[in-house]
Amino acid sequence: MFTGVGPDDVTTIAFMAFFNSKIPVLFPDITYSFYNVWEELFGIPYIRLVLDSSFQIKAEDYYQENGGIIIANPNAPTGVCQGIIFLRDIIEHNKDVVVIIDEAYADLTIIQ
C-alpha cells in the first residue's frame, strides 16, 4: 500500500518510478484521461489499445512486449469493472513488468 495527496499524486509517482524504459506502456484507448498526459509530460512511450464494441478490455492485447501496463478498474469513463480472474490473467502474462491496477473508483462500483 502507498499513500499520497490523492490518487493523482500516487499515480504520478508510480509513472515516474516504474515506467522508464524505451518500450511503450500499454493502457486502454478509452480510460482515465491523465494517463496519456503523464506519458507525454514524462516522455514515456505508450500505446493506447482499442476497447471492444462493449467497451471491454481485450486481455490478449496485453500479452505483447511492453514497458508496463496501467488499467483503471473500474475503467473511467466507461464504468466497466473487470473481475480478479481477468486481471490476474493479464498480470500472469506480464511477470517482467509493472502492472498497475488503478482502483481509485473501486468503492463506487459493484462487480457483477
Side-chain angles (χ1 to χ4, degrees):
M1 175 149 311
F2 178 81
T3 60
V5 184
D8 284 346
D9 181 48
V10 173
T11 308
T12 300
I13 292 168
F15 270 67
M16 290 188 302
F18 301 120
F19 298 155
N20 50 28
S21 76
K22 302 286 186 227
I23 305 168
V25 171
L26 307 178
F27 57 89
D29 68 334
I30 300 173
T31 194
Y32 183 54
S33 61
F34 265 70
Y35 293 163
N36 64 305
V37 171
W38 287 313
E39 303 279 2
E40 292 184 21
L41 178 66
F42 302 129
I44 302 167
Y46 65 92
I47 297 174
R48 296 178 357 177
L49 299 169
V50 178
L51 300 175
D52 71 13
S53 61
S54 299
F55 299 108
Q56 298 283 333
I57 294 168
K58 297 176 279 185
E60 61 274 7
D61 288 350
Y62 295 84
Y63 298 169
Q64 61 182 293
E65 180 184 27
N66 63 75
I69 295 172
I70 186 160
I71 296 173
N73 194 50
N75 193 11
T78 67
V80 174
C81 190
Q82 301 296 336
I84 190 71
I85 294 170
F86 180 90
L87 297 171
R88 184 173 289 148
D89 178 58
I90 291 175
I91 293 166
E92 288 293 322
H93 280 89
N94 291 281
K95 292 181 179 183
D96 296 330
V97 298
V98 172
V99 178
I100 297 173
I101 307 300
D102 179 351
E103 294 185 324
Y105 297 103
D107 291 340
L108 305 174
T109 302
I110 298 172
I111 299 175
Q112 308 256 342

